[in-house]
Amino acid sequence: MPPVTATLIWILVALVAIGLYLSWTAGRLDRLHARIDASRAALDAQLLRRASVTQELATSGVLDPAASIVLYEAAHAARQAEEEQREVAESELSQALRAVFAEPQQVEAVREAPGGEAAAHELTEAVLRVPMARRFHNDAVGAARRLREHRKVRWFRLAGHAPFPMAFEMDDEPPPTLADRTPQ
């Protein structure tokens, strides 16, 4: 085989290997973006569940009127918030929940009301699932960001037109009086 042909074959093999590697990287990035979409949907579902349970509890009559108004308004604001204000509204709901359920007596008052045990259990589950869903989402965002920062991804535009992934930053600390009670 002439040396020119052997050189061309090696160049072709190298180009195919580079193409396969770039294709694999683009596929990986696509899977990460799909994971971000799925985790964001799960986070949105958990946030909506937390706001809905909070609104139900606020309108149930088991809380005092001031606590009911604080929780209802915070939950309503979280459900109605535009995307750019969502993190702030959800943080305010977390703060309202911590303020209302700062004392164990408030949780016990809810549990002692008719249907209160189920309501307290549902609220506890909803409040404890939000940080977990947010962590999964932010982990997926972090992995995609790290991959998108690589030169090969930027130079070959492997991310296409996908928007740069953004983490969901909010105060999601549950009220200690609810966090101490593990859901069953």
Side-chain angles (χ1 to χ4, degrees):
M1 190 177 329
V4 172
T5 307
T7 304
L8 287 175
I9 290 174
W10 282 112
I11 290 172
L12 183 62
V13 167
L15 288 175
V16 167
I18 291 170
L20 287 173
Y21 178 70
L22 291 175
S23 175
W24 175 80
T25 302
R28 181 173 167 225
L29 190 57
D30 187 51
R31 288 188 301 277
L32 283 172
H33 282 129
R35 190 171 125 201
I36 288 170
D37 291 342
S39 64
R40 180 59 191 246
L43 174 60
D44 287 341
Q46 292 304 322
L47 291 171
L48 180 63
R49 180 174 182 231
R50 179 179 77 154
S52 298
V53 169
T54 301
Q55 275 187 321
E56 278 183 38
L57 185 62
T59 58
S60 67
V62 298
L63 297 172
D64 63 88
S68 293
I69 290 171
V70 167
L71 286 182
Y72 183 84
E73 286 180 356
H76 181 71
R79 289 182 73 177
Q80 301 298 319
E82 296 293 326
E83 191 58 36
E84 52 275 351
Q85 295 298 318
R86 183 111 188 257
E87 293 171 349
V88 173
E90 294 293 348
S91 293
E92 289 173 354
L93 177 54
S94 295
Q95 293 164 3
L97 284 165
R98 280 197 308 271
V100 169
F101 294 108
E103 300 297 323
Q105 295 86 358
Q106 187 75 333
V107 177
E108 292 308 317
V110 169
R111 289 183 182 281
E112 291 169 1
E117 187 67 38
H121 178 72
E122 194 172 356
L123 180 64
T124 300
E125 281 187 346
V127 163
L128 294 178
R129 287 182 182 181
V130 167
M132 192 170 21
R134 188 176 75 87
R135 191 170 340 147
F136 286 143
H137 173 70
N138 288 349
D139 287 348
V141 166
R145 281 180 161 186
R146 284 188 296 278
L147 184 58
R148 285 182 70 152
E149 289 171 355
H150 289 190
R151 276 182 274 204
K152 66 181 176 256
V153 173
R154 290 191 320 261
W155 288 351
F156 293 102
R157 300 178 191 258
L158 298 181
H161 296 288
F164 194 73
M166 301 300 290
F168 195 86
E169 298 300 333
M170 65 171 273
D171 173 5
D172 61 2
E173 185 181 333
T177 56
L178 291 176
D180 291 343
R181 301 177 188 283
T182 54
Q184 294 142 346

